[in-house]
């Protein structure tokens, strides 16, 4: 069961803000200006860190999270799902409240929790938000908000980043990169999976674990609501040829992935994935919320026992529930 220890918040909690300025410093400075103006008008103190290099975000987020906790304030992440995931993980470790000014290509976290996509509106929504616990997932103890995977999907993300550098950040560019990845070469993995009392061995190209109902619904998966019931949804993609992978991607884009016989789905709270073959004891590449990491096998996917305490759009903090 989740450990529900509510972080302390002042009546007018100060903000400690971490902004990912790596993909556009001018945009980051503009959002920092919006935040300063909004906090000044509300009479709320704020401390803002504009980070120029993405690899510095986890370390800076750790320092910011401790400050937010000590000041009984809110740690606010500004950026895409990968940035928000890193800042949220720091908030969980420090026992601090977290909120977001979301951005990014798909923005599943922000949209699923009701944050406006326009930054100024999102800032106002946080000012009048309510604190509530939300579920997060883990891989080998590392937190993810939206999804985690290994196999073909991390390669897709790597190619998408290269595509963005050449063609810009957009959903058409993301889909173009995905098509090129699916038409390329990819490795199959012999796996042993254990969820509860169920065990099986199989050959697969990808293991994908979702913690975001909106994303899973967009894929057309009927089990999407399980993430609201304290569980995660795993998808294991069986071997397919290149054209079969493209067809599957189209089904996912059209919200019909639930009809695909090649995708095995499993609902769980704890899933162990042990790769076999020559790389049984090696590290594997894992993607979490769009960022890539190296992890030792076996991979253990589970629901974090500690929730993320999120200040999200809703009733103003301090207003009594009906």
């Amino acid at each position: 069961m989740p450990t529900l220890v509510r972080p302390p918040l002042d009546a007018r909690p100060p903000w400690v803000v971490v902004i990912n300025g790596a993909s556009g410093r001018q945009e980051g400075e503009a959002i920092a200006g919006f935040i300063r103006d909004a906090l000044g008008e509300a009479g709320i103190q704020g401390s803002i860190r504009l980070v120029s290099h993405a690899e510095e975000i986890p370390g800076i987020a750790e320092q910011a999270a401790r400050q937010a906790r000590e000041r009984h304030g809110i740690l606010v992440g500004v950026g895409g799902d990968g940035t928000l995931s890193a800042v949220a993980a720091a908030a969980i470790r420090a026992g601090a409240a977290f909120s977001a000014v979301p951005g990014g290509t798909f923005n599943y976290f922000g949209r699923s929790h009701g944050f406006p996509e326009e930054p100024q509106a999102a800032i106002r929504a946080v000012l009048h938000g309510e604190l509530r616990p939300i579920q997060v997932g883990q891989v080998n103890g590392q937190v993810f908000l939206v999804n985690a995977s290994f196999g073909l999907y991390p390669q897709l993300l790597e190619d998408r980043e290269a595509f963005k550098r050449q063609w810009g950040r957009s959903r058409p560019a993301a889909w173009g990169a995905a098509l090129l990845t699916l038409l390329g070469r990819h490795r199959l993995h012999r796996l042993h999976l254990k969820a509860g009392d169920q065990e099986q061995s199989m050959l697969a190209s990808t293991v994908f674990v979702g913690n975001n109902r909106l994303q899973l619904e967009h894929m057309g998966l009927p089990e999407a609501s399980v993430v609201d019931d304290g569980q995660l949804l795993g998808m294991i993609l069986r071997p397919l040829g290149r054209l079969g992978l493209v067809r599957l991607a189209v089904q996912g884009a059209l919200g019909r992935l639930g009809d695909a016989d090649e995708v095995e789905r499993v609902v769980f709270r704890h899933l162990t994935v042990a790769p076999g073959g020559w790389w049984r004891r090696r590290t594997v590449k894992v993607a979490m919320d769009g960022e890539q990491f190296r992890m030792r096998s076996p991979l253990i996917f589970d629901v974090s026992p500690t929730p993320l305490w999120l200040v999200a759009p809703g009733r103003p903090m301090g207003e009594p529930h009906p």
Side-chain angles (χ1 to χ4, degrees), residues 64-75:
R66 289 193 293 269
Q67 183 182 358
R69 170 72 185 194
E70 291 166 0
R71 299 176 62 187
H72 295 181
I74 305 171
L75 177 65

Side-chain angles (χ1 to χ4, degrees), residues 68-93:
R69 170 72 185 194
E70 291 166 0
R71 299 176 62 187
H72 295 181
I74 305 171
L75 177 65
V76 179
V78 181
D81 285 335
T83 298
L84 301 186
S85 183
V87 180
I92 292 173
R93 286 189 288 270

Side-chain angles (χ1 to χ4, degrees), residues 10-15 35-46 71 127-128:
D10 282 351
R12 301 171 69 80
W15 288 25
I35 293 173
R36 290 190 189 98
D37 291 344
L39 295 181
E41 292 174 6
I44 293 174
Q45 294 182 338
R71 299 176 62 187
L127 283 170
H128 300 289

